[in-house]
Amino acid sequence: MENIVNREKIEEAKKELREYRENIKYIREKNEDSEELREILASTTTRLSPTKTSNSSMSTDKFSDGLDRLDRIEKDKNEKLVELLTKKWVIDEKIDKMKYPYRDVLFMRYARGKSWREITSTLGYESDKYIFKIHGKALAMYAEL
């Protein structure tokens, strides 16, 4: 019975850490969307002048739509960021309580999105298998926090 409870806790820990990693990716992608739209709008405004606007096929409505879309992306990103930061602080606090190398494996894997090979190399181990063992133990430790 205790084994089942531990397994469930570990699965919850994995889910929490994966969600954390995915939220970080989501925020990065939203930042890229915002920057891309900003660049498009900036280049558009430099091409538009009061005299060109009335003659151009580009309508001010499309420009306004772009600004509205940028505002929506920014608002969505900011809401997600608040949610992510709240979760991040909780998760970081748990990870910070752990000792090396467990702390480092979880941090690199979930906060930084590093591959197993990158983690193995960074920590100076020869085999990914050893990192997998450390990761498994780190998840169990994390689940108990």
mmCIF file of all heavy atoms in Angstrom, residues 95-121:
data_model
loop_
_atom_site.group_PDB
_atom_site.id
_atom_site.type_symbol
_atom_site.label_atom_id
_atom_site.label_comp_id
_atom_site.label_asym_id
_atom_site.label_seq_id
_atom_site.Cartn_x
_atom_site.Cartn_y
_atom_site.Cartn_z
ATOM 1 N N ILE A 95 12.877 22.485 -4.759
ATOM 2 C CA ILE A 95 14.131 22.020 -5.368
ATOM 3 C C ILE A 95 15.331 22.535 -4.578
ATOM 4 O O ILE A 95 16.297 21.800 -4.352
ATOM 5 C CB ILE A 95 14.208 22.439 -6.854
ATOM 6 C CG1 ILE A 95 13.175 21.652 -7.666
ATOM 7 C CG2 ILE A 95 15.612 22.207 -7.416
ATOM 8 C CD1 ILE A 95 13.052 22.097 -9.121
ATOM 9 N N ASP A 96 15.274 23.782 -4.118
ATOM 10 C CA ASP A 96 16.386 24.371 -3.369
ATOM 11 C C ASP A 96 16.656 23.654 -2.052
ATOM 12 O O ASP A 96 17.772 23.715 -1.532
ATOM 13 C CB ASP A 96 16.141 25.851 -3.100
ATOM 14 C CG ASP A 96 16.322 26.713 -4.343
ATOM 15 O OD1 ASP A 96 16.907 26.224 -5.330
ATOM 16 O OD2 ASP A 96 15.865 27.875 -4.326
ATOM 17 N N LYS A 97 15.662 22.973 -1.515
ATOM 18 C CA LYS A 97 15.841 22.225 -0.262
ATOM 19 C C LYS A 97 16.651 20.953 -0.467
ATOM 20 O O LYS A 97 17.134 20.362 0.495
ATOM 21 C CB LYS A 97 14.480 21.869 0.342
ATOM 22 C CG LYS A 97 13.738 23.055 0.902
ATOM 23 C CD LYS A 97 12.396 22.621 1.457
ATOM 24 C CE LYS A 97 11.625 23.828 1.970
ATOM 25 N NZ LYS A 97 10.304 23.447 2.466
ATOM 26 N N MET A 98 16.776 20.542 -1.708
ATOM 27 C CA MET A 98 17.458 19.289 -2.011
ATOM 28 C C MET A 98 18.958 19.512 -2.127
ATOM 29 O O MET A 98 19.426 20.619 -2.335
ATOM 30 C CB MET A 98 16.890 18.698 -3.303
ATOM 31 C CG MET A 98 15.401 18.429 -3.206
ATOM 32 S SD MET A 98 14.647 17.993 -4.773
ATOM 33 C CE MET A 98 15.290 16.351 -4.955
ATOM 34 N N LYS A 99 19.707 18.420 -1.989
ATOM 35 C CA LYS A 99 21.167 18.483 -2.075
ATOM 36 C C LYS A 99 21.630 18.119 -3.475
ATOM 37 O O LYS A 99 20.901 17.507 -4.257
ATOM 38 C CB LYS A 99 21.792 17.522 -1.064
ATOM 39 C CG LYS A 99 21.537 17.920 0.370
ATOM 40 C CD LYS A 99 22.207 16.973 1.320
ATOM 41 C CE LYS A 99 21.919 17.405 2.755
ATOM 42 N NZ LYS A 99 22.536 16.522 3.716
ATOM 43 N N TYR A 100 22.870 18.506 -3.764
ATOM 44 C CA TYR A 100 23.534 18.112 -5.004
ATOM 45 C C TYR A 100 23.676 16.600 -5.008
ATOM 46 O O TYR A 100 23.938 16.033 -3.971
ATOM 47 C CB TYR A 100 24.920 18.779 -5.074
ATOM 48 C CG TYR A 100 25.749 18.324 -6.248
ATOM 49 C CD1 TYR A 100 25.629 18.955 -7.473
ATOM 50 C CD2 TYR A 100 26.623 17.250 -6.133
ATOM 51 C CE1 TYR A 100 26.371 18.533 -8.558
ATOM 52 C CE2 TYR A 100 27.363 16.821 -7.216
ATOM 53 C CZ TYR A 100 27.236 17.469 -8.417
ATOM 54 O OH TYR A 100 27.957 17.047 -9.496
ATOM 55 N N PRO A 101 23.515 15.915 -6.083
ATOM 56 C CA PRO A 101 23.222 16.314 -7.452
ATOM 57 C C PRO A 101 21.731 16.310 -7.767
ATOM 58 O O PRO A 101 21.337 16.677 -8.871
ATOM 59 C CB PRO A 101 23.945 15.256 -8.275
ATOM 60 C CG PRO A 101 23.826 14.007 -7.459
ATOM 61 C CD PRO A 101 23.906 14.493 -6.021
ATOM 62 N N TYR A 102 20.908 15.906 -6.795
ATOM 63 C CA TYR A 102 19.467 15.788 -7.025
ATOM 64 C C TYR A 102 18.852 17.127 -7.415
ATOM 65 O O TYR A 102 18.064 17.218 -8.353
ATOM 66 C CB TYR A 102 18.778 15.203 -5.790
ATOM 67 C CG TYR A 102 19.463 13.951 -5.310
ATOM 68 C CD1 TYR A 102 20.273 13.959 -4.169
ATOM 69 C CD2 TYR A 102 19.348 12.761 -6.023
ATOM 70 C CE1 TYR A 102 20.929 12.812 -3.755
ATOM 71 C CE2 TYR A 102 19.998 11.609 -5.614
ATOM 72 C CZ TYR A 102 20.793 11.647 -4.480
ATOM 73 O OH TYR A 102 21.441 10.517 -4.095
ATOM 74 N N ARG A 103 19.223 18.146 -6.668
ATOM 75 C CA ARG A 103 18.735 19.503 -6.946
ATOM 76 C C ARG A 103 19.092 19.917 -8.372
ATOM 77 O O ARG A 103 18.259 20.403 -9.122
ATOM 78 C CB ARG A 103 19.365 20.466 -5.939
ATOM 79 C CG ARG A 103 19.129 21.922 -6.209
ATOM 80 C CD ARG A 103 20.072 22.825 -5.422
ATOM 81 N NE ARG A 103 21.447 22.572 -5.852
ATOM 82 C CZ ARG A 103 22.494 22.482 -5.024
ATOM 83 N NH1 ARG A 103 22.336 22.629 -3.731
ATOM 84 N NH2 ARG A 103 23.696 22.247 -5.498
ATOM 85 N N ASP A 104 20.339 19.696 -8.749
ATOM 86 C CA ASP A 104 20.829 20.140 -10.052
ATOM 87 C C ASP A 104 20.144 19.402 -11.204
ATOM 88 O O ASP A 104 19.835 20.011 -12.237
ATOM 89 C CB ASP A 104 22.345 19.961 -10.121
ATOM 90 C CG ASP A 104 23.051 20.788 -9.066
ATOM 91 O OD1 ASP A 104 22.836 20.501 -7.870
ATOM 92 O OD2 ASP A 104 23.800 21.706 -9.418
ATOM 93 N N VAL A 105 19.922 18.109 -11.014
ATOM 94 C CA VAL A 105 19.266 17.318 -12.068
ATOM 95 C C VAL A 105 17.848 17.835 -12.304
ATOM 96 O O VAL A 105 17.452 18.071 -13.451
ATOM 97 C CB VAL A 105 19.258 15.808 -11.735
ATOM 98 C CG1 VAL A 105 18.357 15.036 -12.690
ATOM 99 C CG2 VAL A 105 20.677 15.255 -11.773
ATOM 100 N N LEU A 106 17.088 18.046 -11.233
ATOM 101 C CA LEU A 106 15.721 18.548 -11.398
ATOM 102 C C LEU A 106 15.713 19.958 -11.977
ATOM 103 O O LEU A 106 14.915 20.265 -12.863
ATOM 104 C CB LEU A 106 14.968 18.520 -10.063
ATOM 105 C CG LEU A 106 14.636 17.140 -9.502
ATOM 106 C CD1 LEU A 106 13.814 17.281 -8.224
ATOM 107 C CD2 LEU A 106 13.917 16.271 -10.509
ATOM 108 N N PHE A 107 16.606 20.793 -11.489
ATOM 109 C CA PHE A 107 16.653 22.168 -11.989
ATOM 110 C C PHE A 107 16.983 22.192 -13.478
ATOM 111 O O PHE A 107 16.299 22.843 -14.261
ATOM 112 C CB PHE A 107 17.672 22.997 -11.200
ATOM 113 C CG PHE A 107 17.780 24.407 -11.698
ATOM 114 C CD1 PHE A 107 16.813 25.343 -11.360
ATOM 115 C CD2 PHE A 107 18.825 24.791 -12.514
ATOM 116 C CE1 PHE A 107 16.894 26.650 -11.826
ATOM 117 C CE2 PHE A 107 18.913 26.090 -12.992
ATOM 118 C CZ PHE A 107 17.954 27.019 -12.649
ATOM 119 N N MET A 108 18.031 21.481 -13.868
ATOM 120 C CA MET A 108 18.438 21.492 -15.280
ATOM 121 C C MET A 108 17.370 20.882 -16.183
ATOM 122 O O MET A 108 17.111 21.380 -17.276
ATOM 123 C CB MET A 108 19.760 20.750 -15.456
ATOM 124 C CG MET A 108 20.958 21.549 -15.008
ATOM 125 S SD MET A 108 22.477 20.694 -15.439
ATOM 126 C CE MET A 108 23.112 20.339 -13.821
ATOM 127 N N ARG A 109 16.752 19.803 -15.722
ATOM 128 C CA ARG A 109 15.777 19.109 -16.556
ATOM 129 C C ARG A 109 14.483 19.901 -16.713
ATOM 130 O O ARG A 109 13.944 20.031 -17.812
ATOM 131 C CB ARG A 109 15.477 17.723 -15.950
ATOM 132 C CG ARG A 109 14.509 16.896 -16.746
ATOM 133 C CD ARG A 109 15.112 16.455 -18.039
ATOM 134 N NE ARG A 109 14.155 15.629 -18.777
ATOM 135 C CZ ARG A 109 14.288 15.321 -20.039
ATOM 136 N NH1 ARG A 109 15.337 15.711 -20.709
ATOM 137 N NH2 ARG A 109 13.388 14.593 -20.634
ATOM 138 N N TYR A 110 13.978 20.440 -15.606
ATOM 139 C CA TYR A 110 12.653 21.053 -15.648
ATOM 140 C C TYR A 110 12.684 22.577 -15.781
ATOM 141 O O TYR A 110 11.889 23.135 -16.532
ATOM 142 C CB TYR A 110 11.834 20.617 -14.434
ATOM 143 C CG TYR A 110 11.603 19.136 -14.457
ATOM 144 C CD1 TYR A 110 12.347 18.270 -13.671
ATOM 145 C CD2 TYR A 110 10.673 18.584 -15.344
ATOM 146 C CE1 TYR A 110 12.157 16.899 -13.738
ATOM 147 C CE2 TYR A 110 10.486 17.214 -15.415
ATOM 148 C CZ TYR A 110 11.227 16.375 -14.606
ATOM 149 O OH TYR A 110 11.042 15.024 -14.685
ATOM 150 N N ALA A 111 13.583 23.246 -15.092
ATOM 151 C CA ALA A 111 13.626 24.706 -15.189
ATOM 152 C C ALA A 111 14.347 25.156 -16.456
ATOM 153 O O ALA A 111 13.969 26.151 -17.067
ATOM 154 C CB ALA A 111 14.309 25.307 -13.964
ATOM 155 N N ARG A 112 15.359 24.410 -16.854
ATOM 156 C CA ARG A 112 16.143 24.799 -18.025
ATOM 157 C C ARG A 112 15.861 23.962 -19.260
ATOM 158 O O ARG A 112 16.334 24.265 -20.340
ATOM 159 C CB ARG A 112 17.645 24.736 -17.712
ATOM 160 C CG ARG A 112 18.081 25.744 -16.682
ATOM 161 C CD ARG A 112 17.937 27.161 -17.225
ATOM 162 N NE ARG A 112 18.289 28.136 -16.224
ATOM 163 C CZ ARG A 112 17.443 29.007 -15.704
ATOM 164 N NH1 ARG A 112 16.192 29.037 -16.092
ATOM 165 N NH2 ARG A 112 17.834 29.858 -14.796
ATOM 166 N N GLY A 113 15.108 22.876 -19.115
ATOM 167 C CA GLY A 113 14.728 22.053 -20.267
ATOM 168 C C GLY A 113 15.902 21.346 -20.928
ATOM 169 O O GLY A 113 15.860 21.058 -22.121
ATOM 170 N N LYS A 114 16.916 21.053 -20.167
ATOM 171 C CA LYS A 114 18.114 20.391 -20.715
ATOM 172 C C LYS A 114 17.820 18.920 -21.018
ATOM 173 O O LYS A 114 17.015 18.277 -20.358
ATOM 174 C CB LYS A 114 19.274 20.476 -19.712
ATOM 175 C CG LYS A 114 19.661 21.869 -19.321
ATOM 176 C CD LYS A 114 20.877 22.296 -20.036
ATOM 177 C CE LYS A 114 21.300 23.673 -19.545
ATOM 178 N NZ LYS A 114 22.037 24.371 -20.508
ATOM 179 N N SER A 115 18.528 18.408 -22.007
ATOM 180 C CA SER A 115 18.416 16.983 -22.350
ATOM 181 C C SER A 115 19.206 16.163 -21.335
ATOM 182 O O SER A 115 20.039 16.695 -20.583
ATOM 183 C CB SER A 115 18.985 16.735 -23.757
ATOM 184 O OG SER A 115 20.396 16.907 -23.745
ATOM 185 N N TRP A 116 18.940 14.867 -21.336
ATOM 186 C CA TRP A 116 19.676 13.979 -20.421
ATOM 187 C C TRP A 116 21.173 14.044 -20.712
ATOM 188 O O TRP A 116 21.994 14.071 -19.804
ATOM 189 C CB TRP A 116 19.164 12.551 -20.531
ATOM 190 C CG TRP A 116 17.750 12.412 -20.067
ATOM 191 C CD1 TRP A 116 16.673 12.049 -20.818
ATOM 192 C CD2 TRP A 116 17.234 12.670 -18.753
ATOM 193 N NE1 TRP A 116 15.529 12.064 -20.056
ATOM 194 C CE2 TRP A 116 15.844 12.433 -18.782
ATOM 195 C CE3 TRP A 116 17.808 13.080 -17.556
ATOM 196 C CZ2 TRP A 116 15.036 12.588 -17.675
ATOM 197 C CZ3 TRP A 116 16.996 13.234 -16.441
ATOM 198 C CH2 TRP A 116 15.633 12.989 -16.503
ATOM 199 N N ARG A 117 21.510 14.080 -21.973
ATOM 200 C CA ARG A 117 22.928 14.129 -22.370
ATOM 201 C C ARG A 117 23.590 15.414 -21.858
ATOM 202 O O ARG A 117 24.712 15.395 -21.365
ATOM 203 C CB ARG A 117 23.068 14.023 -23.884
ATOM 204 C CG ARG A 117 24.499 13.967 -24.324
ATOM 205 C CD ARG A 117 24.781 13.058 -25.471
ATOM 206 N NE ARG A 117 23.920 11.917 -25.636
ATOM 207 C CZ ARG A 117 24.253 10.667 -25.290
ATOM 208 N NH1 ARG A 117 25.412 10.425 -24.749
ATOM 209 N NH2 ARG A 117 23.427 9.675 -25.500
ATOM 210 N N GLU A 118 22.886 16.534 -21.980
ATOM 211 C CA GLU A 118 23.426 17.808 -21.493
ATOM 212 C C GLU A 118 23.625 17.775 -19.975
ATOM 213 O O GLU A 118 24.637 18.271 -19.474
ATOM 214 C CB GLU A 118 22.495 18.963 -21.858
ATOM 215 C CG GLU A 118 22.465 19.308 -23.326
ATOM 216 C CD GLU A 118 21.394 20.336 -23.670
ATOM 217 O OE1 GLU A 118 20.225 20.167 -23.246
ATOM 218 O OE2 GLU A 118 21.741 21.305 -24.372
ATOM 219 N N ILE A 119 22.679 17.192 -19.278
ATOM 220 C CA ILE A 119 22.786 17.108 -17.819
ATOM 221 C C ILE A 119 23.966 16.218 -17.437
ATOM 222 O O ILE A 119 24.769 16.567 -16.565
ATOM 223 C CB ILE A 119 21.473 16.580 -17.197
ATOM 224 C CG1 ILE A 119 20.334 17.573 -17.452
ATOM 225 C CG2 ILE A 119 21.643 16.326 -15.699
ATOM 226 C CD1 ILE A 119 18.954 17.051 -17.132
ATOM 227 N N THR A 120 24.071 15.078 -18.106
ATOM 228 C CA THR A 120 25.173 14.149 -17.841
ATOM 229 C C THR A 120 26.509 14.857 -18.044
ATOM 230 O O THR A 120 27.403 14.774 -17.192
ATOM 231 C CB THR A 120 25.078 12.920 -18.777
ATOM 232 O OG1 THR A 120 23.833 12.260 -18.529
ATOM 233 C CG2 THR A 120 26.214 11.953 -18.544
ATOM 234 N N SER A 121 26.623 15.561 -19.140
ATOM 235 C CA SER A 121 27.864 16.269 -19.460
ATOM 236 C C SER A 121 28.153 17.386 -18.459
ATOM 237 O O SER A 121 29.272 17.513 -17.965
ATOM 238 C CB SER A 121 27.772 16.835 -20.873
ATOM 239 O OG SER A 121 28.883 17.626 -21.166
#
